[in-house]
């Protein structure tokens, strides 16, 4: 991230950041990026990232978008995308996909865009799945949409995908496979 914005004001999230010595958006971005990947106790509440010091694609990026909103930064957008999660762009799921004889599974993923450039800080290490080349769909969302909205959207997308691909698998089975993939990624 090249461009940065100074944080100001006493909004709740901004105050927590300033109290931790994070004075501009770039420092907050780097701080959140280095936090480990993991679900928080409430996957809909992006504020938990600052309390539990971990997060997923949804919570980490929604937190950053919320801080941008608090500081009047309009250049940064939060996106919900669906991409073909496969063994090439997400090597840790290779065994799961092979076991169920799937080439890929459509996965919902949250990320930021700044001036059209995708910013993805889901993982704090060299392991960053490259999803851009297999992006099927994307839509701008608000931080509050990372909970039920995202899950419902993803489930609806998967149900349509099963039907369109004429797969001989139930939605419940596919969701279990997806959860096994997420578990593999987090290890």
């Amino acid at each position: 991230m090249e461009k940065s914005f100074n944080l100001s004001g006493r909004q709740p999230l901004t105050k927590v950041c300033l109290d931790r010595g994070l004075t501009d958006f770039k420092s907050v971005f780097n701080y959140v990026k280095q936090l480990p990947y993991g679900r928080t106790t409430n996957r809909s509440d992006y504020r938990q990232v600052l309390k539990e010091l971990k997060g997923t694609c949804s919570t980490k990026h929604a937190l950053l978008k919320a801080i941008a909103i608090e500081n009047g930064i309009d250049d940064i957008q939060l996106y919900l995308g669906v991409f073909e999660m496969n063994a090439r762009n997400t090597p840790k799921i290779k065994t799961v996909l092979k076991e169920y004889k799937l080439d890929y599974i459509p996965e919902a993923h949250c990320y930021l865009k700044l001036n059209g450039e995708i910013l993805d800080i889901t993982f704090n290490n060299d392991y960053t799945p490259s999803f851009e080349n297999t992006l099927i769909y994307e839509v701008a969302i608000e931080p509050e949409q990372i909970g039920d909205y995202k899950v419902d959207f993803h489930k609806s997308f998967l149900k349509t995908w099963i039907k369109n691909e004429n797969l001989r698998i139930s939605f419940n089975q596919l969701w279990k496979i997806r959860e096994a993939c997420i578990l593999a990624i987090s290890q």
Side-chain angles (χ1 to χ4, degrees), residues 60-78:
K60 284 183 172 187
H61 294 103
L63 172 68
L64 291 174
K65 174 59 179 173
I67 292 168
I69 290 169
E70 282 187 355
N71 288 273
I73 303 167
D74 297 328
D75 297 351
I76 296 170
Q77 298 300 317
L78 176 63

Side-chain angles (χ1 to χ4, degrees), residues 73-111:
I73 303 167
D74 297 328
D75 297 351
I76 296 170
Q77 298 300 317
L78 176 63
Y79 275 83
L80 167 59
V82 177
F83 74 102
E84 294 177 2
M85 185 169 63
N86 59 47
R88 288 176 304 287
N89 60 25
T90 316
K92 290 185 175 186
I93 68 165
K94 181 178 183 177
T95 304
V96 177
L97 293 177
K98 187 175 181 179
E99 178 182 347
Y100 293 100
K101 297 175 179 62
L102 290 171
D103 292 329
Y104 72 94
I105 186 170
E107 178 60 17
H109 186 63
C110 288
Y111 48 93

Side-chain angles (χ1 to χ4, degrees), residues 105-122:
I105 186 170
E107 178 60 17
H109 186 63
C110 288
Y111 48 93
L112 299 173
K113 279 192 177 181
L114 174 61
N115 300 322
E117 178 188 349
I118 291 178
L119 304 173
D120 186 1
I121 60 160
T122 304

Side-chain angles (χ1 to χ4, degrees), residues 43-46 57-59 61-63 65-66 69 77-81 108-110 137 139-154:
R43 63 193 285 175
S44 299
D45 185 2
Y46 51 84
C57 68
S58 300
T59 53
H61 294 103
L63 172 68
K65 174 59 179 173
I69 290 169
Q77 298 300 317
L78 176 63
Y79 275 83
L80 167 59
H109 186 63
C110 288
Y137 180 85
V139 62
I141 62 171
E142 294 300 320
E144 293 72 24
Q145 292 180 293
I146 63 165
D148 291 341
Y149 175 85
K150 179 187 174 200
V151 172
D152 291 345
F153 179 87
H154 191 194

Side-chain angles (χ1 to χ4, degrees), residues 29-37 53 60 121 123-124:
F29 181 91
N30 290 331
Y31 176 79
V32 175
K33 181 178 182 176
Q34 62 84 34
L35 295 174
Y37 176 84
L53 303 179
K60 284 183 172 187
I121 60 160
F123 298 96
N124 66 336

Side-chain angles (χ1 to χ4, degrees), residues 36-45 48-49 52-60 107 150-151 154 175 178-183 186:
Y37 176 84
R39 284 187 179 157
T40 55
T41 53
N42 181 349
R43 63 193 285 175
S44 299
D45 185 2
Q48 293 299 111
V49 171
E52 298 180 31
L53 303 179
K54 65 181 177 179
T56 61
C57 68
S58 300
T59 53
K60 284 183 172 187
E107 178 60 17
K150 179 187 174 200
V151 172
H154 191 194
W175 194 255
R178 184 254 176 200
E179 287 296 309
C181 289
I182 298 303
L183 181 62
S186 62

